Amino acid sequence: VHKGKLRAITTVSPSGLVAGVIGDDGKKITDARLLLGEAEYSADKNGDIILPFSNNPGRKPVLLLHQGFASLDHIEIPAETYQLKAAFFVDRESLISQRLTNLLVRASLRLNGKPVSVKTLEDMKLRIQSTDLSGISTVMEVPNFKLFEDREATHEFRVPNRFASIQFTLSAKVKNLSQAKSVDLQASETFNLNQIERTDRLEDMHLARF
């Protein structure tokens, strides 16, 4: 005879996997406990049970405990996986040799596909690598590059001579709690310009009203 059941609902947070225990009435139990392997975890004042990320992710059996009642359930324990994404924008019409122009950078950090604050990033750097029509590359690095949650970060740089491509790379470190170490993250984008200069063609376009 099976009477009653506890079930777990989970979501991902920067601190780990947040589990909540739901009773038969569909309400969250604020004083539940969870047994995973040899470890027992208790709910905080909000009823949330924080489980660490695993280096052996997968579907795991857990025991949900409340007032002498125990119920078997299964939850998916994820690995701690970060992904840095960045969008770079520079006005192509402003890319005139030896003129100053502005680069706009909008970055986002995701943990297991869920957005988290970029404030957890450390040692952020912006790298600008330009390659001219002769194949010679020039690299400029901006240390301690600051990102913002609500707006784009900007950086002013001088446009090199006769350049054919320019690559923007944003790199940073983030602490991986489950592995007890910092991991490197990177996002980049390349823009190609003046490609007609590599050919023997000469083209121009004129617009007129007919």
Side-chain angles (χ1 to χ4, degrees), residues 50-202:
I50 309 298
L51 304 175
F53 293 109
S54 175
N55 293 323
N56 182 25
R59 192 167 184 263
K60 308 292 184 181
V62 295
L63 275 179
L64 308 177
L65 310 171
H66 181 246
Q67 295 182 353
F69 182 78
S71 186
L72 177 65
D73 202 355
H74 290 78
I75 59 175
E76 194 75 23
I77 304 292
E80 189 175 1
T81 305
Y82 291 92
Q83 183 182 22
L84 177 64
K85 292 187 176 182
F88 303 90
F89 175 79
V90 61
D91 186 1
R92 286 177 178 266
E93 294 185 1
S94 69
L95 295 175
I96 303 173
S97 294
Q98 296 304 307
R99 297 284 185 88
L100 292 173
T101 187
N102 280 315
L103 168 69
L104 304 182
V105 182
R106 188 66 180 245
S108 65
L109 178 65
R110 293 182 175 269
L111 171 58
N112 296 88
K114 302 289 186 179
V116 295
S117 175
V118 295
K119 293 180 180 179
T120 58
L121 294 172
E122 300 175 345
D123 194 21
M124 288 175 286
K125 296 178 183 178
L126 174 65
R127 186 173 184 266
I128 302 176
Q129 178 176 349
S130 61
T131 304
D132 64 17
L133 294 169
S134 300
I136 300 175
S137 295
T138 303
V139 177
M140 179 178 65
E141 192 171 272
V142 183
N144 301 319
F145 189 69
K146 293 184 179 181
L147 299 175
F148 304 96
E149 302 282 357
D150 57 345
R151 64 187 186 276
E152 292 80 13
T154 62
H155 177 71
E156 187 179 62
F157 68 97
R158 191 172 297 278
V159 179
N161 287 321
R162 301 178 64 251
F163 80 102
S165 67
I166 189 165
Q167 183 183 57
F168 304 108
T169 302
L170 183 66
S171 62
K173 295 180 181 293
V174 66
K175 290 183 179 178
N176 189 304
L177 299 178
S178 62
Q179 299 180 13
K181 67 177 183 179
S182 294
V183 295
D184 296 319
L185 302 175
Q186 182 175 291
S188 65
E189 189 172 356
T190 302
F191 297 88
N192 295 317
L193 293 98
N194 302 322
Q195 295 302 301
I196 194 173
E197 300 292 342
R198 297 182 181 274
T199 71
D200 56 0
R201 293 181 298 176
L202 178 64

Side-chain angles (χ1 to χ4, degrees), residues 5-61:
K5 180 176 175 61
L6 303 176
R7 59 189 179 90
I9 56 173
T10 59
T11 186
V12 175
S13 79
S15 302
L17 185 68
V18 181
V21 179
I22 304 300
D24 282 336
D25 56 0
K27 295 182 179 180
K28 188 175 182 180
I29 300 174
T30 58
D31 57 345
R33 293 172 293 134
L34 185 147
L35 189 64
L36 173 62
E38 299 293 330
E40 182 177 307
Y41 302 90
S42 300
D44 59 18
K45 62 180 181 180
N46 298 318
D48 295 330
I49 302 174
I50 309 298
L51 304 175
F53 293 109
S54 175
N55 293 323
N56 182 25
R59 192 167 184 263
K60 308 292 184 181

